[in-house]
Amino acid sequence: MARSGNRLGLIGYTTVLTLLVTVTAGADIFLDWNVSISNTSKPVSIDQRVITINGMFPGPLINVTTNDNIHVNVFNNIDEPLLFTWNGIQQRLNSWQDGVSGTNCPIQPGKNWTYVFKTKDQIGSFFYFPSINFQKAGGGFGPIRVNNRQVIKVPFPKPEAEFDLLIGDWYQSSYKDVRSMLDTKLTANDSYPHWMLINGKGYYMDPLPKDLESFTITQGKTYRFRISNVGTAWSFNFRIQNHQMILVETEGSYTNQITLNSLDVHVGQSYSVLVTADQSAADYYMVATPKMYAVNDNSRLVGIAVLHYDNSTTPANGPLPSGPDPFDVEFSINQAKSIRWNMTAGAARPNPQGTFNVTNVTLSQTFILRASEADIDGVARYTVNNVSYLTPDTPLKLADYKVNGSGFYELDAYPTNYSDVDAVRGVFVASGNHKGWIELVLKNDLDTMDAWHLDGFGFHVVGLGHGEWRPELRSTYNLYDPVVRSTVQVYPGSWSAVYAYLDNPGMWNLRSQKLKNWYLGQELYLRVYDADPNPAKEQPAPDNLLLCGKFEPPAPPPAPLAPPNAPANAPALHITWSSIAMISIVTIPLYWLLVGGEIFR
């Protein structure tokens, strides 16, 4: 009887396990993207090159659920190489799909390549964008929503609808022209964006743009707005006339719900807020203004859209809603510190977020990374610990795969604590201890806002402070409920500290989200290595792996030329079915003769 009971228990366990696998397995989502240059989009009614996806700017929404498998077949119809990265998607055990210069060969013009990645154990608001050649300044970005599985409770009532707000600064010139300016010392510091766009649309009150962004809502209903800063340079403050916002999520983490009149969003960051239509039927301004920069209401750097009640006959009017002083750093820091992890909410998993905390972690590494400017060989550069990243022709991940990186970069050649040696350019790759906790102290020596992003992980934002960081300042860290995200702001002359658990093997980009800083060298790679070849630890190279640099396959030989004395009107060779039959009769006995002899033994 005991054995019978055990067998039944095993059957029951197997059934439950099967059900769990069925529940957690994701759907396959297939997307075809045709990436092109549009000269007619004109988001600010100026002739310029805009990168579109399937004719859209911004690009199409990727709307998926936790653990779905996404297949994005990218056709590169622009005139230069192209890569896409998926800002905040962790690419668990699969840095091959990360889409940055250190992991992937670019998709060449006229070619296509398919990304295949999984939104494993993630929920939240993210976005994608082109990662090389300063192309993000030309468009090509779009929203990503990763929704909860039905079995996971969301910690707020289901909203009436959801909207994506992609807000960011925009240059008046072509991204290629701006890129050329950055390569010249005399003009590198003069390249600042001129506009603020909301979903690719320009300033509401300016006569130049042909349309504006508007969101239609119904009185008494509550809506979720997913806000991302897809810009290149400016942090912004966002607010809605006469309406409050309840913050609920940031980059894959449910937050403690706090009520805000305005929200600071730094370059590369994403948030979700709930907005209830609790005002009289009318239209209301939605405003984004840059931080650390003085503007008036008529500036083109003021992004404006409209919140439209569906029974409204009253256009938006009156003064724009005022926000905090753009130079009030203390307001911004205090707001950032008030954004805490909701410890009781489930997220991608049913167990509460608070199950994963940092109150008692043991640090295995501390990197102190100082961002600054430098003049290297007469060119303006940005550096990390006085190293300006030099992008090799061969992706680091590919070099690791082929020859364990030998001859392509020197691991840990540069200091992960501040160095006062002369600034240099180099391939900066640092070791991360697999399954160890790392503390990243990010120091900003610049006089402008900065924002740092780590691919492959979410990190706990444990501390923000002014001036120099010192070990004793760890006593000021919030280790109880620090929010987990992938991009953290660093204020001028200040520092930010984050903890990350390095359980995701791969080659991972650590960079400034400010596009000019990144393009001019403010980045490095964190190599998290697991020697176990088990593909459950890290996925192998994909079957469609692109080769480039030192491993680029040789070009196919040219087609043979016709004999020089052949007449121009020589008849073409025709092979008939009878000819094929004759060839077969001769070939088959010869084949069996060879098989029967020593040649195949």
Side-chain angles (χ1 to χ4, degrees):
M1 292 295 292
R3 290 188 177 183
S4 176
N6 285 340
R7 185 184 306 158
L8 289 173
L10 179 60
I11 293 171
Y13 172 79
T14 304
T15 303
V16 170
L17 182 61
T18 303
L19 287 173
L20 286 173
V21 171
T22 303
V23 168
T24 57
D28 283 285
I29 310 296
F30 293 90
L31 304 171
D32 285 336
W33 284 5
N34 285 287
V35 182
S36 305
I37 294 293
S38 170
N39 294 309
T40 60
S41 295
K42 297 184 179 180
V44 292
S45 293
I46 293 172
D47 290 334
Q48 61 182 170
R49 300 164 60 88
V50 177
I51 299 175
T52 63
I53 301 174
N54 296 344
M56 299 171 61
F57 171 68
L61 167 67
I62 297 179
N63 192 15
V64 297
T65 298
T66 300
N67 295 336
D68 280 353
N69 302 293
I70 298 95
H71 308 250
V72 187
N73 190 5
V74 176
F75 294 83
N76 181 8
N77 298 312
I78 68 175
D79 58 0
E80 57 185 17
L82 174 71
L83 279 177
F84 280 95
T85 194
W86 322 92
N87 199 67
I89 301 299
Q90 294 179 11
Q91 307 293 353
R92 298 291 302 171
L93 310 180
N94 195 14
S95 64
W96 290 108
Q97 306 294 328
D98 201 33
V100 289
S101 65
T103 59
N104 293 84
C105 295
I107 307 167
Q108 295 299 318
K111 303 294 184 180
N112 71 297
W113 193 72
T114 301
Y115 293 90
V116 182
F117 59 93
K118 190 180 188 75
T119 51
K120 180 173 173 55
D121 295 335
Q122 284 192 269
I123 56 95
S125 306
F126 312 96
F127 64 94
Y128 59 83
F129 64 90
S131 65
I132 59 174
N133 296 327
F134 209 74
Q135 291 162 353
K136 184 187 178 191
F141 48 76
I144 302 175
R145 300 181 194 170
V146 183
N147 304 292
N148 283 76
R149 293 181 288 135
Q150 290 185 355
V151 295
I152 308 296
K153 183 179 179 181
V154 177
F156 49 83
K158 183 177 180 180
E160 181 70 14
E162 299 189 17
F163 300 106
D164 299 292
L165 271 77
L166 302 184
I167 304 175
D169 49 62
W170 185 257
Y171 286 94
Q172 190 158 307
S173 303
S174 162
Y175 73 90
K176 286 190 174 184
D177 294 336
V178 180
R179 187 172 70 195
S180 297
M181 291 176 65
L182 295 179
D183 291 332
T184 305
K185 182 180 177 182
L186 294 176
T187 55
N189 293 325
D190 297 328
S191 52
Y192 283 97
H194 308 85
W195 300 75
M196 190 75 73
L197 304 184
I198 298 181
N199 286 353
K201 298 177 182 178
Y203 179 34
Y204 171 49
M205 301 167 100
D206 194 287
L208 287 178
K210 56 191 176 185
D211 55 5
L212 63 129
E213 185 65 340
S214 179
F215 302 93
T216 299
I217 60 175
T218 299
Q219 206 164 17
K221 303 292 186 179
T222 297
Y223 298 83
R224 181 177 184 174
F225 287 86
R226 298 177 185 253
I227 307 165
S228 293
N229 187 334
V230 296
T232 65
W234 298 113
S235 302
F236 63 76
N237 178 268
F238 177 78
R239 60 258 185 200
I240 304 174
Q241 186 180 24
N242 294 357
H243 291 73
Q244 292 185 316
M245 300 174 287
I246 299 176
L247 181 66
V248 294
E249 178 258 334
T250 177
E251 296 161 32
S253 290
Y254 288 126
T255 64
N256 286 340
Q257 296 178 19
I258 55 176
T259 301
L260 303 171
N261 293 316
S262 69
L263 174 64
D264 283 355
V265 186
H266 304 279
V267 178
Q269 291 185 338
S270 297
Y271 288 96
S272 285
V273 298
L274 300 180
V275 177
T276 299
D278 55 4
Q279 299 297 305
S280 58
D283 290 1
Y284 297 88
Y285 292 122
M286 309 172 76
V287 176
T289 53
K291 302 289 295 182
M292 310 299 293
Y293 189 76
V295 296
N296 58 45
D297 286 358
N298 294 317
S299 170
R300 292 174 179 174
L301 270 173
V302 177
I304 301 182
V306 166
L307 189 68
H308 169 71
Y309 281 62
D310 57 8
N311 56 345
S312 166
T313 58
T314 305
N317 60 81
L320 299 181
S322 60
D325 185 319
F327 298 96
D328 188 348
V329 173
E330 293 308 313
F331 165 86
S332 189
I333 290 178
N334 289 335
Q335 183 180 86
K337 289 182 176 179
S338 72
I339 299 172
R340 304 292 186 93
W341 222 17
N342 184 333
M343 303 292 280
T344 62
R349 308 176 185 90
N351 41 327
Q353 291 181 156
T355 305
F356 313 93
N357 64 71
V358 293
T359 53
N360 295 306
V361 304
T362 299
L363 296 174
S364 67
Q365 293 177 282
T366 293
F367 288 3
I368 302 172
L369 304 176
R370 187 181 296 262
S372 58
E373 294 178 274
D375 184 334
I376 303 177
D377 298 329
V379 178
R381 299 290 180 189
Y382 285 83
T383 66
V384 181
N385 294 351
N386 274 350
V387 180
S388 181
Y389 188 78
L390 177 64
T391 303
D393 292 336
T394 304
L396 305 172
K397 185 67 177 172
L398 180 60
D400 264 4
Y401 171 64
K402 290 289 190 179
V403 292
N404 200 30
S406 176
F408 289 87
Y409 66 89
E410 184 180 347
L411 189 63
D412 300 318
Y414 299 104
T416 52
N417 200 333
Y418 178 62
S419 170
D420 59 1
V421 299
D422 291 340
V424 297
R425 298 192 73 194
V427 184
F428 194 164
V429 185
S431 297
N433 295 341
H434 183 230
K435 292 193 174 178
W437 281 94
I438 191 171
E439 175 186 37
L440 299 174
V441 179
L442 307 168
K443 180 68 173 68
N444 183 9
D445 282 350
L446 308 171
D447 59 3
T448 58
M449 288 292 306
D450 200 359
W452 279 84
H453 175 89
L454 176 59
D455 284 352
F457 304 90
F459 48 57
H460 300 254
V461 182
V462 295
L464 302 168
H466 293 299
E468 292 296 321
W469 179 87
R470 305 180 306 278
E472 53 267 29
L473 289 172
R474 291 188 179 117
S475 63
T476 68
Y477 285 2
N478 168 28
L479 299 181
Y480 174 66
D481 57 357
V483 71
V484 177
R485 60 189 317 158
S486 60
T487 298
V488 63
Q489 70 271 31
V490 192
Y491 295 90
S494 301
W495 56 268
S496 298
V498 304
Y499 285 1
Y501 183 55
L502 302 184
D503 63 341
N504 193 13
M507 186 71 72
W508 302 110
N509 187 237
L510 176 58
R511 64 175 180 268
S512 174
Q513 292 278 49
K514 294 185 68 173
L515 191 58
K516 180 170 76 169
N517 299 34
W518 185 12
Y519 180 74
L520 293 179
Q522 191 183 329
E523 66 173 318
L524 67 148
Y525 279 84
L526 188 65
R527 182 180 186 263
V528 181
Y529 179 66
D530 181 2
D532 188 344
N534 183 348
K537 301 292 185 69
E538 183 181 5
Q539 293 188 28
D543 292 338
N544 63 345
L545 179 67
L546 293 177
L547 301 178
C548 59
K550 294 295 191 297
F551 303 110
E552 185 169 4
L561 300 174
N565 297 324
N569 59 350
L573 176 65
H574 294 282
I575 299 178
T576 64
W577 284 111
S578 60
S579 302
I580 294 173
M582 293 286 291
I583 293 170
S584 301
I585 292 170
V586 173
T587 303
I588 290 173
L590 177 61
Y591 168 79
W592 287 114
L593 177 64
L594 294 174
V595 171
E598 293 294 328
I599 192 168
F600 281 103
R601 291 186 182 178

